[in-house]
Amino acid sequence: MKFSTRAERIEPFYVMEVAKAAQALAREVAGTREPMIFLNIGEPDFTAPPLVQEAAARAVHSGATQYTNALGLDALRERISGWYQSRFGVQVPARRIVVTAGASAALQLACLALIESGDEILMPDPSYPCNRHFVSAAEGKAVLLPTTAAERYQLTAEKVRAAWTEKTRGVLLASPSNPTGTSIAPGELRRIHEVVRANDGITLIDEIYLGLSYEEEFGHTALAIDDSIISINSFSKYFNMTGWRLGWMVVPDAMVPVVERLAQNLFICASTVAQHAALACFEAESIAEYERRRAEFKARRDFFIPALQSLGLAVPVMPDGAFYAWADCTEAAQRLGVASGKNCSWDFAFEVMRRAHIAVTPGRDFGTAEPERFIRFSTANSMAQLEESVERLRKLLG
């Protein structure tokens, strides 16, 4: 069977390959003194709170399950608009909000609406792999620019200006970022956008972890800068609705009918039940629960990062959001007898899985700038599991 070159360009999602190996081993060690601990998948261990579950059940029982408008329920778009005002002090009119089948659908719609064949999109290295594949699927080319700890593993205006060519269409950023959990300082983000605007380009930013910001300096939406910025968001992370497949995007007014036309043809609409359930996310009781959970995520970070540092797993930049630790495993790998080289973090991850029954994600997925040095830990797990992981790692690494 012949497959499209488009499909062949999409690389495997290695985190899922690691997950399959971890699940297989988990079945073998289930019931032992050291069952598998999963610190590899970026999925909150919390699920939708009670009011959201109840709203979903009401929608099902009342028959509110048929198609919605392709742009989403008007009531939900209004609630999201109110969220921007109450949480960030930014006025985002509901007419510019498009409800989507997860942030993935939002990114696909944005790329299809804006990218021509051969267009280049600048992105930081490391970054979330699926984001560059959305660019590729739209016949564009993701250009990964290596970043440093001093740059918080984010692009800078200077770096964007130096890399811009006649083929460049714009930038795709993420703040906070997966895999590093680091954000772009608002001043730097403004300077990046100024460079993009001066070149008549697009600024596309993934803000799906914005609700899980822990530092006042960084917890601001890019939408405060300019109405031409396109922001992608999700109900998966802060709102703990991963499998509900619901997200949204904020776009300029002129882009709304274009995205609507694409959404009508590609998706019809996002899940109606999920949309009705999401209305309850913004009730005061739900927000209070989300904030309690955010504090718990921060407490996990504050415990786990120093513990990793003490084990020789250096985290060059303290994550200010999300639930990840981007750790340099070079020293720890040497202590386990793992050979240095291009497979170092990959082999280290499998040694930790095999010998300590802890699943982590090697750096291979996230770019080409020294992926062999880094592994990603997810702290989207209970404090008890994180404490047990630290003890196992301490025992393993001596």
Side-chain angles (χ1 to χ4, degrees):
M1 184 178 293
K2 182 180 179 181
F3 298 104
S4 69
T5 55
R6 180 188 305 106
E8 297 296 339
R9 283 198 302 268
I10 304 300
E11 302 167 15
F13 196 4
Y14 291 108
V15 65
M16 295 305 179
E17 298 300 313
V18 174
K20 287 192 290 186
Q23 290 286 358
L25 182 57
R27 289 190 289 270
E28 295 180 20
V29 301
T32 69
R33 291 193 302 172
E34 289 193 347
M36 185 66 69
I37 296 176
F38 295 92
L39 303 184
N40 56 321
I41 302 295
E43 180 173 36
D45 55 325
F46 301 113
T47 57
L51 289 185
V52 176
Q53 296 180 36
E54 292 164 9
R58 284 197 303 274
V60 171
H61 291 305
S62 67
T65 58
Q66 296 179 312
Y67 296 139
T68 71
N69 185 291
L71 297 176
L73 289 172
D74 288 341
L76 182 55
R77 298 165 76 197
E78 290 288 351
R79 288 286 181 96
I80 295 170
S81 174
W83 164 252
Y84 279 109
Q85 180 63 56
S86 63
R87 180 69 175 232
F88 305 108
V90 176
Q91 291 188 350
V92 178
R95 68 175 185 274
R96 291 176 49 211
I97 297 169
V98 181
V99 178
T100 60
S104 296
L107 280 160
Q108 182 180 359
L109 290 167
C111 289
L112 290 174
L114 297 166
I115 296 173
E116 297 280 10
S117 178
D119 283 350
E120 295 183 351
I121 302 294
L122 307 180
M123 299 174 61
D125 187 342
S127 60
Y128 183 57
C130 295
N131 287 2
R132 66 179 184 266
H133 296 324
F134 288 120
V135 173
S136 180
E139 306 294 335
K141 179 182 178 182
V143 178
L144 299 182
L145 304 180
T147 60
T148 66
E151 297 165 331
R152 302 182 56 75
Y153 298 114
Q154 294 282 2
L155 296 186
T156 63
E158 180 181 358
K159 191 160 281 185
V160 170
R161 185 181 294 109
W164 201 281
T165 73
E166 62 180 15
K167 293 183 178 180
T168 306
R169 181 72 176 99
V171 297
L172 174 49
L173 313 169
S175 185
S177 169
N178 176 4
T180 64
T182 59
S183 300
I184 309 171
E188 191 63 42
L189 181 56
R190 185 179 294 275
R191 286 187 287 273
I192 290 172
H193 182 59
E194 288 171 355
V195 173
V196 174
R197 285 293 301 273
N199 287 280
D200 196 28
I202 55 172
T203 299
L204 181 59
I205 185 162
D206 172 347
E207 295 190 313
I208 70 173
Y209 294 99
L210 184 60
L212 293 175
S213 290
Y214 310 123
E215 314 296 341
E216 173 58 29
E217 178 184 358
F218 299 108
H220 308 280
T221 175
L223 296 170
I225 296 174
D226 186 14
D227 288 352
S228 69
I229 290 176
I230 298 152
S231 173
I232 306 296
N233 219 309
S234 173
F235 284 93
S236 289
K237 309 303 181 179
Y238 176 77
F239 295 102
N240 307 153
M241 294 176 68
T242 52
W244 301 70
R245 306 316 303 134
L246 193 66
W248 76 87
M249 60 196 303
V250 180
V251 301
D253 278 308
M255 192 173 164
V256 173
V258 178
V259 171
E260 181 178 22
R261 187 168 68 248
L262 288 168
Q264 287 169 337
N265 283 277
L266 296 178
F267 300 102
I268 300 181
C269 67
S271 163
T272 301
V273 173
Q275 290 189 64
H276 281 288
L279 290 168
C281 290
F282 303 99
E283 297 294 335
E285 180 182 326
S286 296
I287 293 296
E289 177 60 17
Y290 288 132
E291 286 300 288
R292 185 194 69 78
R293 294 175 181 184
R294 183 169 72 103
E296 175 62 21
F297 279 126
K298 181 178 183 297
R300 295 172 184 180
R301 178 202 70 167
D302 293 345
F303 160 75
F304 196 67
I305 303 297
L308 288 181
Q309 305 273 29
S310 72
L311 294 170
L313 287 159
V315 180
V317 185
M318 184 69 161
D320 58 84
F323 35 64
Y324 301 114
W326 186 239
D328 188 332
C329 67
T330 307
E331 177 189 332
Q334 290 176 347
R335 284 151 65 184
L336 285 188
V338 173
S340 60
K342 66 177 183 179
N343 292 322
C344 181
S345 65
W346 181 267
D347 292 341
F348 177 79
F350 276 87
E351 281 295 294
V352 169
M353 185 192 306
R354 183 176 65 85
R355 295 166 62 176
H357 300 166
I358 301 171
V360 299
T361 302
R364 183 180 295 182
D365 261 329
F366 303 103
T368 59
E370 300 185 305
E372 71 279 359
R373 285 182 52 197
F374 291 95
I375 56 173
R376 188 196 72 178
F377 289 89
S378 169
T379 55
N381 211 323
S382 70
M383 186 66 85
Q385 293 273 277
L386 294 175
E387 291 171 345
E388 173 64 18
S389 297
V390 169
E391 288 308 307
R392 291 189 196 179
L393 288 170
R394 197 179 307 281
K395 179 180 177 182
L396 176 66
L397 297 173

